[in-house]
Amino acid sequence: MKSKIINFGSINIDHVYRVPHLVKPGETLSSLDLVTGLGGKGANQSVAIARAGVSVAHVGRVFKGDRWAVELLASTGVDTDNIALIEGASGHAIIQVDDQGENAIVLHGGANQSFSIADIESALNHNQQARYLLMQNETNLLAEAFELAQEKGIKIVLNPAPMTDNIKDLPLAKLDTLIVNRGEAEALCGAADIDQMTQQMAALAPQTRVVVTLGGDGAMLLANGEVTHMNSPSVDVVDTTGAGDTFVGYFLAGVAEGMNDHDALQRACLAGSIAVTRQGAIKAIPDRSEVNR
């Protein structure tokens, strides 16, 4: 099946250690449990797109010993032909979680930071039918991928997480869609008040569809000078990990299917609200039939 979306995104291996308390400087602490699983914003968003029923080709890199991660992505329906197995370490996170639910995380970019321009060119050439390129901010060469996609007439969707100063150097006004949370929007435009934020984002990218996720308050969409606010259903929150990635994947899937902005926003909010009622990231992402129900 020809992919409608290319996701140039991170693949992380998450090592989650359960500990009685977060490790103190100079302390050696035995963990109570260890869970190793697939993570990374890129991988999460690709799975969300696939579970929303839209074809997606993931462009990524992992250590050759982590082939299981690629196989897991493929099992969810993601096209993994453009994921390279390399000698260097995969991107990974060392995560401590204590008895109170507090966490401390050490993140290593690894393979996610080792792309060459040739890798991106090859992926775009092998997926010429794709209409959208999705990017986050956990890989290198964002600016170069942006330029190459523009040359090919591919619409670009950016979820700049985690937010860093280099994002402001990208030609954001040329994006098709920018998806940010409240903190990222504030960092971009320097306004905390939602009305001021709306005005600033409109000035920053006047031709771009801007979506701001607001957690339990739903999401806001700004397009063509009009603002749409969508509430999220009230649910019992268990774990918010990956909820934002679920939203991004479902929203872009809706747009790629030809949904209007209102319906795509509504479905994304519903998908995100389901995800937070479950533990974990990828395993919490609902499939299309659940959201439709």
Side-chain angles (χ1 to χ4, degrees):
M1 180 168 56
K2 299 295 187 181
S3 296
K4 292 182 179 180
I5 299 167
I6 303 171
N7 186 3
F8 173 42
S10 57
I11 302 173
N12 285 341
I13 310 301
D14 290 344
H15 304 283
V16 183
Y17 296 85
R18 191 80 193 187
V19 292
H21 60 263
L22 302 184
V23 177
K24 301 173 183 177
E27 180 183 21
T28 299
L29 184 65
S30 295
S31 69
L32 306 174
D33 189 27
L34 168 63
V35 176
T36 297
L38 176 62
K41 298 194 72 63
N44 294 344
Q45 291 177 17
S46 280
V47 171
I49 293 168
R51 288 188 178 158
V54 173
S55 53
V56 55
H58 193 100
V59 182
R61 290 164 71 82
V62 296
F63 169 56
K64 63 181 182 180
D66 291 326
R67 184 185 296 271
W68 63 268
V70 182
E71 293 171 349
L72 179 55
L73 271 178
S75 73
T76 68
V78 175
D79 179 348
T80 60
D81 288 350
N82 295 108
I83 298 178
L85 299 172
I86 68 168
E87 292 292 341
S90 296
H92 60 270
I94 306 298
I95 305 169
Q96 301 176 52
V97 181
D98 70 11
D99 290 341
Q100 286 70 49
E102 289 292 333
N103 63 56
I105 302 172
V106 176
L107 182 64
H108 177 67
N112 297 319
Q113 297 292 324
S114 69
F115 288 94
S116 69
I117 292 177
D119 294 327
I120 301 169
E121 289 178 330
S122 176
L124 293 177
N125 288 335
H126 280 88
N127 294 279
Q128 294 186 24
Q129 74 289 340
R131 295 168 51 207
Y132 295 92
L133 172 68
L134 171 62
M135 298 188 293
Q136 307 82 37
N137 194 25
E138 293 184 333
T139 59
N140 64 321
L141 301 182
L142 288 188
E144 289 80 359
F146 201 120
E147 184 176 347
L148 289 169
Q150 272 195 304
E151 291 174 357
K152 293 182 177 296
I154 299 174
K155 296 178 180 179
I156 304 167
V157 179
L158 178 65
N159 172 223
M163 177 63 70
T164 53
D165 288 341
N166 67 301
I167 294 298
K168 296 179 181 180
D169 296 329
L170 295 174
L172 300 179
K174 296 182 180 180
L175 287 170
D176 177 81
T177 305
L178 174 66
I179 305 175
V180 291
N181 63 26
R182 188 193 294 267
E184 291 154 359
E186 183 177 347
L188 274 175
C189 65
D193 177 80
I194 198 69
D195 292 329
Q196 292 181 344
M197 188 183 294
T198 300
Q199 296 173 7
Q200 293 287 343
M201 295 298 282
L204 182 69
Q207 304 302 317
T208 298
R209 178 194 293 112
V210 178
V211 181
V212 183
T213 59
L214 304 170
D217 293 328
M220 180 183 73
L221 185 146
L222 174 65
N224 302 317
E226 296 185 2
V227 177
T228 301
H229 185 271
M230 185 67 61
N231 292 320
S232 286
S234 178
V235 297
D236 293 327
V237 177
V238 173
D239 184 357
T240 60
T241 305
D245 296 330
T246 300
F247 178 98
V248 171
Y250 261 87
F251 182 79
L252 179 53
V255 170
E257 282 188 307
M259 281 187 176
N260 62 49
D261 287 348
H262 177 278
D263 291 348
L265 192 67
Q266 181 182 50
R267 191 172 72 158
C269 285
L270 289 171
S273 71
I274 293 172
V276 302
T277 65
R278 303 167 176 171
Q279 288 282 355
I282 282 179
K283 66 181 181 180
I285 299 171
D287 63 26
R288 182 188 186 115
S289 62
E290 292 180 89
V291 179
N292 287 345
R293 286 198 299 272

